[in-house]
């Protein structure tokens, strides 16, 4: 259970009025739906824009990854601006791996000026996991300190507590959470630190154990009044699920799910059915879902239809 002292943390760094459509949905208490889209690995954003446009009216916001798995792609901020120009509400992921505090502040102030208000503060995956293993990581900050930095900017101060002469930001900051973390005390401690640092929403890693998610909501997140979105991943085949089990720390796709995919005459369709079932389960447990359908974002609207989730009316 959340320490009651955390609930009295000053909210002066949090925008008082909704600064985005996603923020307004949080304020209304809507069941939140977000989806993930990867920026292009090159200079042509047309495929990313096509996928994101298919999600209009079905999700509250689209997450733009920032070098996920330390794989080099187009700037998440640039991609977020491109989607915003298309009328797609973006959540700009921002990782500490590749930037020092000067660069992070520059990008956050740039996001403000460009009309991007939703930011997901991340530490970032280790360099060795990606396609440039010999690059140098920065990691001057990590996600909790980045949340605190966003709070300072929202109050009109920089990293060194110097006043910003050209105005404060009004950014909505979110954070990641992993309810399947092996250390329960570590999970609770980090969740509380992110709450205290100003996180206004949480998006979880891929959820494969919904009993664990329920326990997290009942024992850790209870009383925090901050929405938690369960990560739902589209599994395309048994081989895809086995790859995740081998390569994604902390995730274990249950054998019965792998067996279902293996037996299916159309594994992709079965994966969609599984994802829809998981959306329905999440609706009974937490305040939203974050859908990840790598390279098949076009299937997300149909998954939501299968789960009985209606289109979003703004």
């Amino acid at each position: 259970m959340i320490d009651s002292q955390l609930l009295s943390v000053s909210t002066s760094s949090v925008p008082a009025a909704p600064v985005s459509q996603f923020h307004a949905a949080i304020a209304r208490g809507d069941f939140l739906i977000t989806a993930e889209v990867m920026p292009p690995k090159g200079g042509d954003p047309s495929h990313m824009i096509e996928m994101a446009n298919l999600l209009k009216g079905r999700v509250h916001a689209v997450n733009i990854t920032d070098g996920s798995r330390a794989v080099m792609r187009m700037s998440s901020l640039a991609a977020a601006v491109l989607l915003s120009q298309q009328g797609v509400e973006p959540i700009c992921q921002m990782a500490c791996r590749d930037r020092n505090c000067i660069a992070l502040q520059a990008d956050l102030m740039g996001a403000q000026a460009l009309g991007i208000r939703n930011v997901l503060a991340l530490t970032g995956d280790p360099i060795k996991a990606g396609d440039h293993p010999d690059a140098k990581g920065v990691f001057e900050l990590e996600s909790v300190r980045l949340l605190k930095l966003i709070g300072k900017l929202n109050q009109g101060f920089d990293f060194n507590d110097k006043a910003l002469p050209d105005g404060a930001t009004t950014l909505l900051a979110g954070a990641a959470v992993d309810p399947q973390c092996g250390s329960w005390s570590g999970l609770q401690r980090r969740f509380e630190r992110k709450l205290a640092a100003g996180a206004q929403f949480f998006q979880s890693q891929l959820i494969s154990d919904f009993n664990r998610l329920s326990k997290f909501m009942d024992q850790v997140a209870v009383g925090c009044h901050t929405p938690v979105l369960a990560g739902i991943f589209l599994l395309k085949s048994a081989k895809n699920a086995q790859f995740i089990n081998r390569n994604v720390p902390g995730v274990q796709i249950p054998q019965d799910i792998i067996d279902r995919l293996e037996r299916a005459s159309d594994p992709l369709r079965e994966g969609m059915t599984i994802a829809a079932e998981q959306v329905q389960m999440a609706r009974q447990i937490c305040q939203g879902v974050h859908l990840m359908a790598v390279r098949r974002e076009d299937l997300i609207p149909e998954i939501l239809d299968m789960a009985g989730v209606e289109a979003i009316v703004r």
Side-chain angles (χ1 to χ4, degrees):
M1 181 178 293
I2 298 300
D3 188 327
S4 60
Q5 289 183 331
L6 288 176
L7 300 180
S8 62
V9 170
S10 171
T11 59
S12 60
S13 64
V14 178
V19 297
S20 64
Q21 293 178 343
F22 181 59
H23 192 186
I26 292 174
R28 289 193 302 268
D30 292 357
F31 183 78
L32 302 168
I33 306 164
T34 61
E36 194 162 281
V37 172
M38 288 189 298
K41 197 173 177 67
D44 181 2
S46 56
H47 178 72
M48 175 193 71
I49 290 171
E50 178 187 357
M51 291 297 102
N53 274 327
L54 293 173
L55 301 175
K56 284 182 180 178
R58 300 315 307 264
V59 303
H60 291 97
V62 172
N63 264 53
I64 314 299
T65 58
D66 184 18
S68 178
R69 295 187 298 111
V71 173
M72 182 278 296
R73 289 183 178 273
M74 179 184 287
S75 155
S76 57
L77 178 54
V81 172
L82 289 170
L83 294 195
S84 182
Q85 292 170 347
Q86 296 288 317
V88 176
E89 172 105 356
I91 298 174
C92 181
Q93 294 189 7
M94 197 161 292
C96 300
R97 177 191 57 242
D98 309 316
R99 306 168 177 87
N100 64 15
C101 67
I102 298 173
L104 285 166
Q105 290 175 99
D107 280 351
L108 289 164
M109 289 185 289
Q112 173 75 27
L114 292 165
I116 307 302
R117 295 291 183 270
N118 310 311
V119 177
L120 189 73
L122 302 171
T123 298
D125 297 315
I127 291 285
K128 296 297 182 184
D131 61 350
H132 287 62
D134 296 325
K136 292 183 178 180
V138 179
F139 294 110
E140 181 181 5
L141 305 183
E142 42 70 52
S143 57
V144 174
R145 295 181 71 197
L146 177 55
L147 287 166
K148 291 178 179 178
L149 173 58
I150 294 169
K152 284 187 175 186
L153 295 176
N154 282 350
Q155 291 176 307
F157 297 93
D158 68 11
F159 183 76
N160 293 320
D161 295 317
K162 302 294 185 183
L164 298 173
D166 297 310
T169 59
T170 53
L171 299 170
L172 180 77
V177 65
D178 184 6
Q180 295 167 157
C181 173
S183 169
W184 196 251
S185 60
L187 168 63
Q188 180 163 0
R189 184 168 57 251
R190 192 147 180 84
F191 182 76
E192 291 183 349
R193 287 182 65 208
K194 289 181 178 182
L195 268 180
Q200 295 301 294
F201 66 95
F202 288 88
Q203 289 179 330
S204 90
Q205 309 288 4
L206 185 166
I207 297 293
S208 57
D209 185 344
F210 283 81
N211 289 328
R212 179 79 172 189
L213 174 64
S214 183
K215 181 181 177 183
F216 168 79
M217 294 302 302
D218 289 342
Q219 296 185 16
V220 176
V222 62
C224 75
H225 307 298
T226 301
V228 175
L229 285 70
I232 308 293
F233 191 90
L234 172 61
L235 297 166
K236 303 180 187 70
S237 66
K239 185 179 291 186
N240 181 209
Q242 290 162 344
F243 175 86
I244 289 171
N245 281 350
R246 287 195 305 271
N247 294 283
V248 181
V251 174
Q252 190 65 36
I253 308 297
Q255 188 60 43
D256 64 309
I257 295 291
I258 295 174
D259 291 343
R260 279 180 64 178
L261 291 164
E262 207 150 34
R263 291 193 302 265
S265 58
D266 186 343
L268 178 59
R269 175 61 52 173
E270 187 68 17
M272 293 171 65
T273 300
I274 292 166
E277 292 169 356
Q278 292 178 336
V279 170
Q280 291 173 328
M281 285 190 285
R283 291 184 84 172
Q284 307 304 312
I285 299 172
C286 59
Q287 299 92 346
V289 289
H290 175 57
L291 294 161
M292 295 167 278
V294 180
R295 298 187 182 88
R296 290 309 311 263
E297 294 89 351
D298 57 303
L299 297 177
I300 288 174
E302 188 173 355
I303 291 169
L304 292 170
D305 287 340
M306 294 165 69
V309 177
E310 297 180 355
I312 294 167
V313 179
R314 298 203 186 277

